Amino acid sequence: MAAQQQVQKNTLYVGGLAEEANESILHAAFIPFGDIKDVKPPLNQAKQKHLSFGFVTLLEREDAVAAMGNMDGAELYGRVLTVNYALPEKIKGGEQGWAAQPSKYFSLIELA
């Protein structure tokens, strides 16, 4: 049985961003709803351009709810935004994560 991912109630996924939407633009768009803890618009390293999504973490859950209600479907730089609760980051190491990878320790025991 797979463990259900917990939703981080203060962190919002913001999709549909224009390339020119950087950290300061996202911050300015969401600051009217409350104090912001963090803004992360991922960068395409090869092109040195921002991807079409980002994450905004507000300090208070109520502020995140207000921001999501007001910004989902809003327009920024001519693009319609999709704003939802962000899912927690997955553990690196494949779909099942590092814990599902075979352990070297157990491999050595089996050889003995």
Side-chain angles (χ1 to χ4, degrees):
M1 181 166 58
Q4 190 176 12
Q5 288 185 332
Q6 278 191 319
V7 176
Q8 298 175 6
K9 301 291 186 183
N10 293 16
T11 302
L12 301 174
Y13 163 84
V14 183
L17 294 174
E19 285 182 0
E20 52 271 354
N22 58 24
E23 188 174 333
S24 61
I25 290 169
L26 266 178
H27 190 276
F30 282 84
I31 195 67
F33 304 103
D35 292 330
I36 295 174
K37 180 180 178 182
D38 193 24
V39 177
K40 291 182 184 176
L43 186 67
N44 178 332
Q45 296 297 329
K47 295 181 180 180
Q48 291 299 306
K49 292 185 179 181
H50 292 280
L51 300 176
S52 63
F53 66 94
F55 300 95
V56 177
T57 303
L58 290 105
L59 289 177
E60 300 295 328
R61 180 174 185 243
E62 296 78 22
D63 296 339
V65 171
M68 185 170 56
N70 284 283
M71 295 299 287
D72 186 42
E75 202 172 300
L76 184 66
Y77 282 85
R79 305 269 307 262
V80 176
L81 301 179
T82 299
V83 182
N84 297 309
Y85 288 123
L87 296 176
E89 293 182 38
K90 290 186 177 182
I91 298 173
K92 294 182 181 179
E95 192 172 291
Q96 296 177 339
W98 290 112
Q101 304 301 319
S103 170
K104 290 181 183 178
Y105 175 75
F106 289 114
S107 298
L108 294 174
I109 291 174
E110 292 171 5
L111 294 174

